[in-house]
Amino acid sequence: MARIVAGIATSHVPAVGHAVDSGRTEDDYWRPMFQGYEFSKQWIKDNPADVDIIVYNDHASYFGMDIMPTFGIGTAGKYEICDEGYGPRPVPVVMGHPALSTHLAASLILDDFDMTVLNRLDVDHGLTVPMSLMYGQPDAWPTRVIPFPVNVVMYPQPSGERCLAIGKAIRDAVQNFDEDITVRVWGTGGMSHQIQGARAGLINLPWDLQFMNDLIDQPEVLQHKPHLEYMIEAGSEGVELIMWLIMRGALGDDVNEVYRFNHVPASNTSVGHLILTPKD
Amino acid sequence: MKPNFEQFTDIPGTTIFTMEMAQKGFQLNEFCMSLRTQENRDRFHADERKYLDEWDMSEEQKQAVLTRDFQKMLDGGGNVYFLSKIFAAEGMSYVQAVSTMTDMNVEEYQAMMVAGGRDIEGWRSKKERGEA
Ligand SMILES: [Fe+2]
């Protein structure tokens, strides 16, 4: 039987990817942020897993407005890296796990989550920047990955309730997979940031810290937070944080907080990061 | 549930990319998506007007692109992740591009970010600010 062994939440700022790719992680501007991930890089080495299910959003990199899936799941054997306007990031291709993907996609659909099945998918910074933060710059990524893209770009995004529920369904589906493998679920994006309009640059750190506390202690309450509150309090792009609820739902009722880190700013963003493990 | 696309209009200095806005900006955003290949970026930079005329965009949207008026592009249904293809192709960062939508120059904007970002106090509601 497969098991979910950890949840990882992290921002996925594109400039962080540039800093890694151009060897600037030791610059004065970047050092404090990357230092906050040193613990995590060691922890993930010491606590290996077979598969990472990475909940992220595409940023008009693979999906345009032609097709905009609310919830998608990659079922491919590998995923190439998107050209986001300046050529693809120089990171290894992302290898998939078609057997678990297929099981997950089918389970979720049978549980009434109408997934978009993605046999072809290129992945952008939303997925690769978290991997760079946790794994550094290896020649090949150490795990198999199942990309789980969510529409957080166009309103209406899925509700918080729906995100928590689909996370719980991911947990059930993983536990019903017959192979004896270990799985982590990642929730990426956020925290508060706004990258458009006269209000651009908005950061709301007290709100971010409360969001982390609630995510850990009372996700059943947090799930009811309306989109409008995210957009007012965490900025128009802060609504990405609904993706963290999917990760949280996949961990069961109670969790251990292994690690927490916050840093302002990376580019325009309040960086937040959590490592959680399920209690049961 | 009946959708409420108007609920966001009281947020100051903010254009929420709703499904309605996505309708309005479809061709503009499609143009942006086309810049994901080097070949198209080169063609666009060689003759911007000619390249834009290949798209069924309004004249207002085209002018906004030509003058790099990102706020006008947002007003025309553009979304910043799509628009990022325009400025990324010119080697511009999010901080540089985003600052142009504020009342600050890029140095002032960057200084605000390094000092902790824009404080939300006073930025929650147009009504509160006397803008509505
Ligand atoms: Fe994002």
Side-chain angles (χ1 to χ4, degrees):
Chain A
M1 179 179 104
R3 282 178 302 134
I4 292 182
V5 293
I8 292 165
T10 178
S11 307
H12 60 213
V13 181
V16 168
H18 297 301
V20 172
D21 300 339
S22 59
R24 297 198 336 269
T25 59
E26 290 298 318
D27 287 6
D28 289 345
Y29 178 88
W30 287 112
R31 194 186 307 112
M33 197 220 72
F34 284 100
Q35 270 177 356
Y37 283 84
E38 283 304 312
F39 171 90
S40 310
K41 284 163 89 170
Q42 190 58 49
W43 180 89
I44 209 159
K45 259 190 209 130
D46 298 341
N47 297 273
D50 299 306
V51 181
D52 289 314
I53 300 172
I54 304 188
V55 181
Y56 77 109
N57 66 291
D58 179 81
H59 304 76
S61 310
Y62 184 76
F63 303 112
M65 289 314 301
D66 291 359
I67 298 172
M68 178 65 89
T70 299
F71 290 117
I73 180 165
T75 49
K78 71 175 180 182
Y79 306 93
E80 301 287 343
I81 311 301
C82 289
D83 182 335
E84 302 184 44
Y86 43 84
R89 286 194 64 206
V91 293
V93 64
V94 174
M95 301 305 291
H97 194 299
L100 179 59
S101 279
T102 304
H103 169 85
L104 265 176
S107 301
L108 291 173
I109 292 167
L110 290 168
D111 286 340
D112 292 330
F113 295 93
D114 305 319
M115 304 301 298
T116 298
V117 176
L118 301 161
N119 284 303
R120 190 185 292 280
L121 173 68
D122 299 345
V123 292
D124 79 356
H125 72 264
L127 184 134
T128 62
V129 165
M131 293 187 77
S132 296
L133 282 167
M134 298 300 293
Y135 293 127
Q137 295 180 286
D139 293 331
W141 299 117
T143 59
R144 300 282 166 155
V145 171
I146 299 180
F148 198 98
V150 178
N151 164 40
V152 295
V153 172
M154 180 181 71
Y155 176 84
Q157 293 82 357
S159 67
E161 291 92 331
R162 197 68 177 152
C163 289
L164 190 68
I166 207 169
K168 292 176 184 176
I170 290 171
R171 180 174 181 79
D172 291 343
V174 167
Q175 290 179 340
N176 287 324
F177 187 62
D178 287 334
E179 252 178 79
D180 188 19
I181 56 172
T182 52
V183 178
R184 286 183 292 243
V185 180
W186 304 33
T188 73
M191 299 188 82
S192 57
H193 66 303
Q194 174 157 337
I195 52 175
Q196 49 104 355
R199 200 174 77 133
L202 182 107
I203 298 284
N204 192 345
L205 187 58
W207 189 95
D208 292 338
L209 300 178
Q210 188 63 47
F211 181 90
M212 282 181 157
N213 292 340
D214 293 345
L215 187 79
I216 292 165
D217 298 330
Q218 45 177 357
E220 302 294 335
V221 175
L222 183 63
Q223 66 174 332
H224 300 298
K225 197 182 279 300
H227 295 123
L228 181 61
E229 184 184 330
Y230 286 92
M231 292 184 191
I232 293 173
E233 297 293 331
S236 47
E237 280 66 55
V239 72
E240 288 184 341
L241 283 167
I242 60 172
M243 295 186 289
W244 291 28
L245 280 163
I246 298 177
M247 176 276 284
R248 181 62 184 84
L251 298 182
D253 291 341
D254 296 308
V255 294
N256 302 302
E257 181 178 334
V258 176
Y259 185 63
R260 179 196 287 237
F261 175 64
N262 291 89
H263 176 80
V264 177
S267 183
N268 302 279
T269 303
S270 167
V271 170
H273 171 42
L274 287 170
I275 299 176
L276 307 175
T277 55
K279 257 192 184 149
D280 47 281
Chain B
M1 191 185 292
K2 189 179 176 192
N4 179 357
F5 296 118
E6 304 309 313
Q7 64 180 308
F8 307 109
T9 52
D10 184 52
I11 310 176
T14 302
T15 310
I16 297 299
F17 188 62
T18 64
M19 208 177 263
E20 282 185 338
M21 289 301 275
Q23 284 287 322
K24 187 176 172 185
F26 181 69
Q27 288 288 331
L28 167 60
N29 290 325
E30 289 278 286
F31 146 72
C32 292
M33 290 302 279
S34 77
L35 300 179
R36 291 174 304 159
T37 68
Q38 190 59 47
E39 187 193 342
N40 283 345
R41 292 193 284 269
D42 290 344
R43 283 205 312 123
F44 173 58
H45 291 142
D47 189 340
E48 296 198 1
R49 178 75 219 192
K50 186 167 162 230
Y51 190 84
L52 285 170
D53 284 340
E54 293 171 18
W55 300 88
D56 189 17
M57 292 159 58
S58 71
E59 185 55 30
E60 235 180 340
Q61 289 171 327
K62 289 180 190 174
Q63 282 305 324
V65 173
L66 290 169
T67 57
R68 301 295 190 268
D69 187 333
F70 291 108
Q71 183 58 54
K72 279 230 172 70
M73 294 184 230
L74 295 177
D75 298 340
N79 167 273
V80 70
Y81 295 126
F82 290 81
L83 304 182
S84 75
K85 310 304 177 275
I86 301 173
F87 61 75
E90 298 174 317
M92 221 176 171
S93 72
Y94 267 102
V95 164
Q96 287 171 316
V98 163
S99 69
T100 68
M101 290 179 259
T102 70
D103 61 0
M104 292 171 221
N105 64 33
V106 64
E107 290 79 19
E108 292 164 344
Y109 182 84
Q110 181 67 299
M112 173 183 77
M113 293 317 303
V114 170
R118 183 185 301 281
D119 190 340
I120 191 167
E121 292 312 318
W123 281 99
R124 287 191 170 89
S125 158
K126 282 184 190 167
K127 279 191 215 95
E128 261 175 36
R129 292 166 65 89
E131 287 177 13

